[in-house]
Amino acid sequence: MPWSALSTDLSTPLQFLKGVGPRKAADLKRAGLVTVEDLFYRLPFRYEDRSHMQPIGSLRPGARAAVLGEIKSARLAMTRRRGFKIFNAVVSDASGAIRCTWMNQPFLADILQPHLTVVIFGDVKLDSSGLHFLNAEYEVVTDEISSVHTGRIVPFYEKTGAVTPNMQRKLVRHALDQALAPTIPDILPAELRQRLHLLPRRTAIEQSHFPPNEASVEELNAFRTPAQRRLIFEEFFLYQIGHAWRRHAASTELKPFVPKVDERIRAAAAKILPFKLTPGQRQAVKEIVEDMQRPQPMNRLLQGDVGAGKTIVALLAGLVAMENGLQVAFMAPTEILAAQHYATVARLLSQSRFRVDVLTGSTPGTKKHTLHAHIERGTANLIVGTHALVQESTRFHKLGLVVIDEQHRFGVEQRAALRAKGLRPDVLLMTATPIPRTLALTDYSELDVSKITDLPPGRTPVRTWVKPESRRDEIYQLLREQLDQGRQAYVIYPLVEGSEKIDLKSATEMADHLQAEIFPAYRVALLHGRMKSDAKERVMQAFAAGQIHILVSTTVVEVGVDVPNASVMVVEHAERFGLAQLHQLRGRVGRGPWESHCILLYQSPWTDDARERLRALATTNDGFAIAEKDLELRGPGDFFGTRQSGLPRLRTGDIVRDRDIMEDAHREARRLVTGGGLTGDLLQFVQQRWEQQFGLIEVG
């Protein structure tokens, strides 16, 4: 079946439906509803059971009820407050009458007029004048639409622009009756539908919008009915097939150089190790090196909490590549981090025969020219750098391994450009932001994942305190004690978009205040993102060398900066930071043998969300648990903060709520693709949809 057949009926433009003229079609288009499919796959966000109308005479206070009756009287009353009006109507049926009141909605006088039949739905209240409905939902009943809005489980849609929930409900009913054949082609393979007991597509669409009256409203509102789960699975499955196909296509390409590992290389690795690897590190090295010895290019993500020792694991992989005559590119997101990685790698490889260089945007022109020549000739073995490594002027002689640190800070295009330079090198992505399992199946679905869950020996967990601004003197006392013992400290200020000038002023004033009035005997310095690279570099080097005792900074120290002597992290306005960001900041301390402290200072009033974030951080040091909590609190859209992170635009599914369905879809898509069951028609359909529906780079 050609892919176009899979869209039959569903691709009908909404403007051709009865009752949808050019004006309404324009309103629908602005709301993202262009075709019948767009309408069907925007599911209701909640459902209410209006299948049982209660006699008015049987109503009791506190009940949530739907009644059907005739408006006996209606009037708009003025109040003493200027412009504030109250609309009252009396609705009756054969069993009795009830008063309905709406505050400050005078337009209802034109809608709810005497003698009309209406459905009233809401909470029954009791006051001195008797039972009544207050600000209840209402529907004017006509013969044409009574079966859509009342007498059944009723779907509720989010209002989008000029498209009201009632308009959408009515439109869906018309589209089901007019535009959709009794049976429609199904995207999902028949064998898969039978094995997973999935409803037919047509049935799932109808029952997701207009459930049978015996359906559980609780299940509907949790998106757990067979109809809803079928549509969510369908969306996730199409998305996962794209990933599975890209993974499969990559596995059929062979890399030009396949490293080998022998005793000589093992001995070289043992020589550079500064300490014994933890079990987690050993397992990660094993998985990475096994991948490197395969003919297909490695595409692996190395996850490890802050301070878990990922760099040494990546360096051992680099050593394997270099001992096989290959070059290694080590990319970092910032110049500070690139310089730090360079210092670490150069120190560890100082006794080896390999040349280590650093190339960043601020490398002087003449030095850059010389470096490019060494890289092109192959005399530079390991090159640490920033995005400068992916610029066209950098040509590698024999690139075998690419290590990308904190990889979600790099764009998809930058990663692709680097891979293209070395004719399919092995790629190792590293992140200290643990990725929740659910997101690993979306943003990282094509990757194999290694995790380091243990900390290197000698590291002690950081003690975390949540304190109000009013306890600042206690915090300064703790800080003073640590400084007197020879330790160093960070004081972090938020720098938030839209208020950068005010935030920067606060950080500057705090640095001056700490230096002049609180800690005059110690040296205080300021670090912020607007400083020039060389100025930032000088401050960081002075802090790392112990010449600066307190570093007041905006969040530029969040990733990777390594100063083992720093034992205190004070975060000002902690309520303004995200959970993962706070965890990253906390990871800047606790890198030496001393007990370290992270103090989260908050200002009242703070939101419930902020309280939950800070409490979560104070109760655990486990980055993976924190990542799951962060995803739960913020939702997937904000987790990485940018569209380019690779999260799909979903219509029916929710990555957090439906994580079990995503797991099923991931498993089934891989099974179909690796088993050779993916038909050309389905692949063509997915390719056509990948960018259009999910907003991602096309498959294939």
Side-chain angles (χ1 to χ4, degrees):
M1 182 192 307
W3 69 261
S4 53
L6 295 173
S7 301
T8 307
D9 297 341
L10 292 173
S11 57
T12 304
L14 289 173
Q15 69 188 67
F16 297 137
L17 288 185
K18 180 185 171 187
V20 180
R23 187 173 171 184
K24 194 177 279 186
D27 286 341
L28 291 166
K29 187 174 182 180
R30 276 192 290 275
L33 302 173
V34 178
T35 66
V36 167
E37 181 178 344
D38 294 334
L39 188 68
F40 288 155
Y41 281 78
R42 181 171 290 180
L43 299 184
F45 76 96
R46 70 180 175 91
Y47 302 79
E48 282 182 356
D49 189 354
R50 297 183 178 178
S51 58
H52 308 294
M53 295 295 166
Q54 280 186 247
I56 291 173
S58 71
L59 295 177
R60 295 290 177 268
R64 192 161 176 78
V67 300
L68 175 66
E70 182 186 339
I71 299 175
K72 290 298 184 184
S73 63
R75 72 185 187 89
L76 193 60
M78 310 299 287
T79 67
R80 290 180 184 177
R81 278 172 59 190
R82 182 187 291 180
F84 191 85
K85 299 172 183 176
I86 297 174
F87 179 70
N88 290 299
V90 175
V91 175
S92 73
D93 64 9
S95 68
I98 189 167
R99 175 168 52 92
C100 305
T101 303
W102 287 270
M103 300 294 182
N104 212 27
Q105 298 180 52
F107 61 89
L108 292 179
D110 298 324
I111 300 170
L112 301 179
Q113 298 183 350
H115 311 303
L116 289 176
T117 301
V118 291
V119 170
I120 303 294
F121 184 82
D123 297 321
V124 181
K125 310 280 187 184
L126 177 65
D127 63 13
S128 56
S129 60
L131 294 178
H132 67 283
F133 283 107
L134 179 64
N135 294 330
E137 293 181 38
Y138 61 87
E139 302 278 2
V140 176
V141 177
T142 64
D143 291 340
E144 179 198 3
I145 64 167
S146 60
S147 66
V148 177
H149 301 295
T150 63
R152 60 171 310 115
I153 293 175
V154 177
F156 280 77
Y157 303 88
E158 288 183 5
K159 185 178 186 298
T160 316
V163 182
T164 65
N166 289 358
M167 186 195 298
Q168 217 170 317
R169 195 182 299 147
K170 190 174 171 183
L171 204 54
V172 170
R173 185 69 264 170
H174 281 326
L176 282 166
D177 295 341
Q178 290 178 35
L180 212 55
T183 57
I184 57 173
D186 209 308
I187 294 173
L188 302 179
E191 182 276 331
L192 176 66
R193 294 199 310 272
Q194 287 160 9
R195 186 161 44 80
L196 298 185
H197 308 293
L198 298 173
L199 289 177
R201 196 181 188 196
R202 173 68 160 81
T203 307
I205 290 170
E206 169 119 29
Q207 291 187 6
S208 291
H209 291 277
F210 295 104
N213 282 347
E214 63 272 15
S216 157
V217 173
E218 196 177 324
E219 271 192 19
L220 283 162
N221 285 325
F223 287 79
R224 280 295 172 262
T225 65
Q228 293 163 312
R229 288 178 69 88
R230 146 71 214 227
L231 295 183
I232 294 166
F233 177 84
E234 177 187 310
E235 179 173 49
F236 286 176
F237 182 69
L238 292 177
Y239 170 70
Q240 289 292 348
I241 278 188
H243 273 308
W245 177 254
R246 288 211 295 206
R247 180 187 169 90
H248 175 71
S251 73
T252 60
E253 295 178 23
L254 304 180
K255 57 195 180 192
F257 319 109
V258 181
K260 300 277 186 290
V261 176
D262 54 25
E263 285 308 316
R264 179 182 59 82
I265 292 175
R266 289 190 186 94
K271 197 179 287 185
I272 69 159
L273 276 177
F275 48 75
K276 192 178 174 186
L277 294 180
T278 66
Q281 287 174 313
R282 279 203 302 276
Q283 181 61 27
V285 169
K286 179 174 180 285
E287 290 167 355
I288 291 163
V289 173
E290 280 176 359
D291 273 7
M292 291 174 72
Q293 293 177 86
R294 293 194 177 103
Q296 297 84 14
M298 170 173 71
N299 201 12
R300 185 169 283 276
L301 173 69
L302 175 61
Q303 290 193 75
D305 213 341
V306 177
K310 296 179 297 298
T311 306
I312 191 70
V313 169
L315 182 56
L316 289 171
L319 191 71
V320 169
M322 291 187 292
E323 288 286 359
N324 278 270
L326 304 175
Q327 289 172 297
V328 179
F330 201 129
M331 285 177 77
T334 64
E335 294 206 1
I336 286 179
L337 196 50
Q340 190 169 293
H341 277 315
Y342 170 68
T344 303
V345 171
R347 186 181 76 249
L348 290 169
L349 292 180
S350 60
Q351 302 304 308
S352 75
R353 58 194 174 89
F354 299 115
R355 174 178 171 147
V356 182
D357 287 294
V358 61
L359 176 64
T360 67
S362 62
T363 303
T366 49
K367 188 178 179 188
K368 196 176 284 185
H369 182 74
T370 308
L371 260 177
H372 282 151
H374 279 298
I375 293 168
E376 198 166 347
R377 282 200 302 270
T379 47
N381 306 107
L382 190 151
I383 306 92
V384 181
T386 54
H387 60 279
L389 280 182
V390 299
Q391 288 167 352
E392 282 185 24
S393 53
T394 312
R395 290 188 178 84
F396 288 87
H397 174 67
K398 210 172 177 183
L399 182 60
L401 174 67
V402 176
V403 179
I404 306 178
D405 193 21
E406 289 306 325
Q407 71 91 28
H408 61 260
R409 293 179 175 231
F410 282 101
V412 173
E413 297 85 357
Q414 289 166 308
R415 298 206 297 262
L418 195 51
R419 294 187 73 145
K421 283 179 182 293
L423 293 168
R424 314 296 296 169
D426 288 320
V427 174
L428 178 65
L429 310 169
M430 303 199 303
T431 180
T433 306
I435 313 300
R437 167 77 180 149
T438 319
L439 290 188
L441 294 181
T442 53
D443 203 13
Y444 301 93
S445 189
E446 294 151 54
L447 306 178
D448 295 301
V449 179
S450 293
K451 282 184 182 181
I452 305 175
T453 53
D454 42 17
L455 284 179
R459 293 277 173 90
T460 53
V462 178
R463 296 187 69 182
T464 305
W465 315 85
V466 179
K467 299 285 184 184
E469 163 79 20
S470 58
R471 308 280 287 275
R472 182 177 291 278
D473 288 348
E474 288 175 35
I475 305 312
Y476 286 161
Q477 183 55 38
L478 171 68
L479 241 168
R480 186 170 283 106
E481 288 168 9
Q482 292 290 308
L483 293 171
D484 290 347
Q485 290 170 30
R487 304 286 81 75
Q488 291 164 275
Y490 295 99
V491 178
I492 303 295
Y493 259 82
L495 196 61
V496 180
E497 245 178 273
S499 63
E500 289 99 330
K501 282 186 179 174
I502 298 166
D503 290 336
L504 196 51
K505 184 169 180 280
S506 301
T508 308
E509 286 172 355
M510 172 55 75
D512 293 342
H513 171 66
L514 290 176
Q515 181 67 87
E517 297 175 42
I518 311 296
F519 300 107
Y522 292 100
R523 189 173 169 206
V524 180
L526 177 67
L527 181 72
H528 60 79
R530 291 192 174 183
M531 291 164 66
K532 288 185 177 173
S533 294
D534 56 345
K536 277 194 276 197
E537 195 68 39
R538 280 197 302 274
V539 172
M540 273 315 303
Q541 282 172 354
F543 187 63
Q547 296 158 5
I548 291 168
H549 307 102
I550 300 173
L551 183 64
V552 178
S553 172
T554 57
T555 48
V556 290
V557 300
E558 178 188 335
V559 175
V561 175
D562 190 9
V563 181
N565 191 49
S567 64
V568 183
M569 166 67 66
V570 179
V571 183
E572 300 273 355
H573 300 286
E575 75 280 358
R576 290 168 63 181
F577 288 87
L579 187 50
Q581 197 178 27
L582 287 169
H583 180 61
Q584 290 285 316
L585 287 169
R586 177 169 63 182
R588 297 306 105 218
V589 295
R591 292 170 163 251
W594 309 279
E595 183 176 63
S596 294
H597 307 267
C598 176
I599 297 110
L600 307 174
L601 277 177
Y602 66 88
Q603 282 199 335
S604 298
W606 56 342
T607 63
D608 290 344
D609 264 6
R611 185 179 285 110
E612 202 168 342
R613 279 199 304 276
L614 301 191
R615 188 178 293 138
L617 197 77
T619 53
T620 182
N621 281 284
D622 181 345
F624 291 95
I626 284 167
E628 294 289 350
K629 186 68 177 175
D630 195 28
L631 177 63
E632 185 187 312
L633 288 174
R634 282 200 286 164
D638 287 339
F639 191 82
F640 289 118
T642 60
R643 180 70 210 115
Q644 80 167 22
S645 69
L647 290 177
R649 287 196 296 256
L650 298 172
R651 301 187 297 185
T652 60
D654 178 286
I655 287 174
V656 179
R657 182 193 67 209
D658 305 319
R659 62 184 75 190
D660 60 321
I661 304 177
M662 183 65 88
E663 297 239 5
D664 291 345
H666 174 76
R667 184 188 64 248
E668 293 298 339
R670 281 205 177 177
R671 176 177 174 163
L672 186 76
V673 171
T674 55
L678 181 60
T679 63
D681 295 330
L682 182 54
L683 177 60
Q684 195 179 355
F685 184 77
V686 172
Q687 286 174 321
Q688 185 253 346
R689 283 304 176 85
W690 188 255
E691 189 166 8
Q692 176 191 342
Q693 181 175 328
F694 301 122
L696 302 173
I697 289 173
E698 195 167 334
V699 180

